[in-house]
Amino acid sequence: MKFETVIGLEVHAQLKTKSKIFCGCSTQFGSAPNSQTCQVCIGMPGVLPVLNRTAIEYIVKTGLAMNCRISPYSRFARKNYFYPDLPKGYQISQYELPVCEGGHVEFMVDGQLKKVGLTRIHLEEDAGKNLHEGIKDASHVDLNRTGVPLMEIVSEPDIRTPEEAAEYMRKLRTILRYIDVCDGNMEEGSLRCDANVSIRPVGQKEFGTRAELKNMNSFKNVAKAIEYEIRRQTQLIEDGGRVIQETRLWDANQGITISMRGKEEAHDYRYFPDPDLVPIEVSSSWLEEIRGTLPELPDAKKDRFVSQYGIPEYDAMVLTESRQMADYYERTAALSQPKLASNWIMGDVMRELKNDGAEIEDCPLTPENLSGMLKLIEDNTISGKIAKTVFEEIYRSGKTAEDVVREKGLVQITDDGAIIKVIEEVMAANPDKVADYRSGKDKLFGFFVGQVMKASGGKANPAKVNDLLREKLS
Ligand code: ADP
Ligand code: MG
Ligand code: ZN
């Protein structure tokens, strides 16, 4: 039997607010355990939460960027459960009236446009962290993260493959970083994902029973965990078994998912409206004010790059993955040929950044210096090949391409006389090859080009070398 996979993602994105959602404690990552806590976020009885206005602005901004309906009226609910890292015994979340509903996100997979619907985006507080490692006979609890504002972005079950799931996550991250509401750092847990996975026989309308996968901390692991889960469920059904609804933990070291607990249903949580918090009202004037803070979004920027700079769709997509990358490109393309700029940024610049584990913001080569080099290629001062050497020289040093070319005597030889001189030397040194070529061994042409380029120290203009060689050899 052939099966089809159905996937829905619940993504938790930590908001970049300076303080927590219901108190004034800092949200700074990596501080000493329990140093960023107060009576409110550690759940003392009798205290009252006060909502952080910026958290609402950020979720509304996100909803607008993801084509959602923004509810003019929404409210918080208590989700009751017990964990050592949740001192109140309930999490403040949203249930029947979330801030954002509907919406969709689009992205490319294998050259095809894929659209994934959103069910909702709601606001909630994060829980703390239990620490087990390196502590003997005990577990410790760090409540610094308790009360940090989270958005939960729930997708419709529209995703069909592990690659689509990873690309969907990437696109969410790109948008969240563009609108500057979440830093998108998966290792630090600012962006986390639970993947709901089920399979069904091809052609069947009803969904199969799903397992919920947790604990994937990179795009790669999201895809790997889902791949594993598809194999596990397929095997199970083919062996005559049944998938049970449960939560499974991804173990990256072993590359498998492990059953953690049976899946709770919503009614198990005894949701009810939180009596300590007033409802949230987003007036149309506030909504418009927030809309006004939206930057140009990645899809719109990509389309503009294609029409304004005449670069291929693929280049435009890669270059608009972050706002900083897009800005770097635009500053470079303003001063040099746009397609040349995109080739060098997508190739050499991105390779260096990757080697250094750096982001474009930290790139030591300024757009001005890069375009300075590109101009030397455009006006034939240096060849594309010499440019590779120049690039290495200028990337970290801050020197200009002009200085390097002058210092090292790398100026391209475009003078016909000088090139002919080299050609004649090469021909004189290889009389048999010249004879062979003239008697029909066309393939030798490449040999002569190579020799001339070598003899000129790579500096001869390749197009001229080709033309003049043909003339001299014939
Ligand atoms: P819960 O909050 O209990 O996990 P939801 O009904 O909110 O449950 O669904 C969570 C996610 O699971 C959503 O992203 C939804 O698209 C996805 N989902 C629901 N049913 C299935 C299914 N049968 N297979 C795969 N994903 C599913
Ligand atoms: Mg869930
Ligand atoms: Zn606090």
Side-chain angles (χ1 to χ4, degrees), residues 67-307:
N67 315 290
C68 303
R69 288 187 303 281
I70 310 298
S71 317
Y73 179 93
S74 60
R75 68 181 174 203
F76 287 103
R78 289 187 182 180
K79 181 180 184 181
N80 299 280
Y81 65 97
F82 174 80
Y83 267 121
D85 59 13
L86 186 80
K88 292 200 300 293
Y90 61 86
Q91 177 191 28
I92 304 179
S93 180
Q94 294 196 285
Y95 187 55
E96 85 285 56
L97 286 171
V99 178
C100 310
E101 289 181 289
H104 63 264
V105 170
E106 290 180 338
F107 51 93
M108 301 292 287
V109 187
D110 289 334
Q112 296 267 302
L113 188 71
K114 171 80 190 183
K115 182 170 173 174
V116 171
L118 299 183
T119 314
R120 56 191 269 149
I121 307 177
H122 70 245
L123 209 51
E124 61 188 31
E125 58 179 347
D126 208 345
K129 240 188 220 168
N130 293 328
L131 309 172
H132 314 288
E133 261 162 56
I135 303 163
K136 204 170 173 291
D137 300 328
S139 285
H140 289 181
V141 184
D142 175 7
L143 298 177
N144 282 351
R145 205 176 64 184
T146 312
V148 165
L150 291 181
M151 282 188 300
E152 179 169 334
I153 305 169
V154 183
S155 88
E156 288 289 292
D158 288 348
I159 302 166
R160 291 291 171 270
T161 66
E163 298 74 47
E164 284 180 9
E167 287 309 318
Y168 167 78
M169 278 293 282
R170 281 209 178 86
K171 190 57 180 278
L172 286 191
R173 181 172 187 268
T174 297
I175 297 173
L176 294 171
R177 284 163 50 104
Y178 257 72
I179 60 176
D180 207 22
V181 300
C182 169
D183 66 24
N185 188 329
M186 288 183 83
E187 279 115 67
E188 288 180 5
S190 315
L191 192 65
R192 315 197 281 269
C193 149
D194 300 343
N196 296 270
V197 181
S198 64
I199 60 172
R200 63 180 171 189
V202 170
Q204 179 182 305
K205 244 185 129 194
E206 303 78 47
F207 291 146
T209 305
R210 70 186 146 122
E212 185 179 270
L213 314 182
K214 283 185 184 291
N215 201 35
M216 295 86 76
N217 65 354
S218 70
F219 298 122
K220 231 187 235 142
N221 277 314
V222 170
K224 276 196 194 156
I226 295 173
E227 266 160 34
Y228 173 85
E229 188 58 21
I230 295 170
R231 267 185 276 129
R232 186 189 72 86
Q233 292 185 13
T234 308
Q235 191 69 55
L236 194 61
I237 292 176
E238 281 174 348
D239 291 349
R242 232 164 30 88
V243 175
I244 50 167
Q245 187 160 325
E246 62 181 350
T247 300
R248 300 180 68 88
L249 216 56
W250 167 245
D251 181 328
N253 292 323
Q254 297 190 69
I256 60 173
T257 62
I258 300 159
S259 178
M260 183 163 92
R261 57 167 188 255
K263 171 76 185 153
E264 318 74 4
E265 299 287 344
H267 60 248
D268 294 323
Y269 290 116
R270 302 292 190 273
Y271 280 101
F272 64 90
D274 194 303
D276 287 345
L277 286 153
V278 293
I280 307 161
E281 285 188 31
V282 180
S283 66
S284 55
S285 62
W286 193 20
L287 183 65
E288 289 320 308
E289 200 182 297
I290 298 171
R291 198 193 301 278
T293 67
L294 281 177
E296 182 180 32
L297 294 170
D299 290 341
K301 208 186 265 294
K302 184 198 75 189
D303 292 344
R304 179 169 64 79
F305 276 21
V306 170
S307 59

Side-chain angles (χ1 to χ4, degrees), residues 10 16 45 91 103 121 211 233 298 347-348 370-371 381:
E10 294 161 273
K16 263 175 97 174
Q91 177 191 28
I121 307 177
Q233 292 185 13
D348 300 74
L370 174 60
S371 58
T381 306

Side-chain angles (χ1 to χ4, degrees), residues 201-449:
V202 170
Q204 179 182 305
K205 244 185 129 194
E206 303 78 47
F207 291 146
T209 305
R210 70 186 146 122
E212 185 179 270
L213 314 182
K214 283 185 184 291
N215 201 35
M216 295 86 76
N217 65 354
S218 70
F219 298 122
K220 231 187 235 142
N221 277 314
V222 170
K224 276 196 194 156
I226 295 173
E227 266 160 34
Y228 173 85
E229 188 58 21
I230 295 170
R231 267 185 276 129
R232 186 189 72 86
Q233 292 185 13
T234 308
Q235 191 69 55
L236 194 61
I237 292 176
E238 281 174 348
D239 291 349
R242 232 164 30 88
V243 175
I244 50 167
Q245 187 160 325
E246 62 181 350
T247 300
R248 300 180 68 88
L249 216 56
W250 167 245
D251 181 328
N253 292 323
Q254 297 190 69
I256 60 173
T257 62
I258 300 159
S259 178
M260 183 163 92
R261 57 167 188 255
K263 171 76 185 153
E264 318 74 4
E265 299 287 344
H267 60 248
D268 294 323
Y269 290 116
R270 302 292 190 273
Y271 280 101
F272 64 90
D274 194 303
D276 287 345
L277 286 153
V278 293
I280 307 161
E281 285 188 31
V282 180
S283 66
S284 55
S285 62
W286 193 20
L287 183 65
E288 289 320 308
E289 200 182 297
I290 298 171
R291 198 193 301 278
T293 67
L294 281 177
E296 182 180 32
L297 294 170
D299 290 341
K301 208 186 265 294
K302 184 198 75 189
D303 292 344
R304 179 169 64 79
F305 276 21
V306 170
S307 59
Q308 183 174 339
Y309 299 110
I311 56 173
E313 179 105 12
Y314 177 77
D315 293 29
M317 212 174 61
V318 174
L319 293 168
T320 53
E321 236 150 60
S322 81
R323 248 166 108 175
Q324 291 79 2
M325 179 61 77
D327 290 347
Y328 188 95
Y329 173 70
E330 291 209 271
R331 282 169 61 193
T332 311
L335 301 168
S336 48
Q337 211 257 309
K339 177 59 183 159
L340 193 60
S342 102
N343 288 349
W344 279 83
I345 293 173
M346 286 170 54
D348 300 74
V349 173
M350 286 192 183
R351 186 196 61 232
E352 291 298 328
L353 291 174
K354 200 167 167 218
N355 286 343
D356 294 350
E359 299 288 331
I360 192 73
E361 308 72 302
D362 315 314
C363 184
L365 177 65
T366 63
E368 290 70 29
N369 256 2
L370 174 60
S371 58
M373 186 192 83
L374 301 182
K375 279 214 284 277
L376 295 181
I377 303 176
E378 284 167 40
D379 69 14
N380 275 325
T381 306
I382 57 173
S383 66
K385 188 146 176 278
I386 290 287
K388 298 276 172 189
T389 313
V390 175
F391 180 83
E392 271 174 35
E393 290 283 328
I394 63 171
Y395 188 76
R396 277 179 192 80
S397 67
K399 284 187 193 168
T400 68
E402 275 184 327
D403 286 345
V404 170
V405 167
R406 197 174 331 106
E407 274 168 31
K408 304 216 149 188
L410 294 173
V411 175
Q412 177 163 248
I413 305 169
T414 50
D415 173 53
D416 286 11
I419 295 174
I420 289 171
K421 196 163 157 259
V422 179
I423 289 176
E424 283 169 348
E425 279 163 20
V426 168
M427 285 170 67
N430 298 281
D432 339 345
K433 294 239 164 57
V434 173
D436 288 351
Y437 178 81
R438 289 185 171 149
S439 63
K441 263 196 150 181
D442 292 351
K443 274 198 206 132
L444 278 171
F445 190 73
F447 163 80
F448 287 109
V449 173

Side-chain angles (χ1 to χ4, degrees), residues 26-87:
S26 168
T27 55
Q28 183 75 42
F29 180 83
S31 307
N34 299 307
S35 61
Q36 292 165 357
T37 52
C38 70
Q39 294 88 333
V40 174
C41 55
I42 66 173
M44 289 287 149
V47 296
L48 286 172
V50 176
L51 179 58
N52 181 338
R53 183 184 173 95
T54 308
I56 301 294
E57 285 170 5
Y58 284 3
I59 189 175
V60 169
K61 215 169 158 183
T62 306
L64 290 171
M66 298 185 184
N67 315 290
C68 303
R69 288 187 303 281
I70 310 298
S71 317
Y73 179 93
S74 60
R75 68 181 174 203
F76 287 103
R78 289 187 182 180
K79 181 180 184 181
N80 299 280
Y81 65 97
F82 174 80
Y83 267 121
D85 59 13
L86 186 80

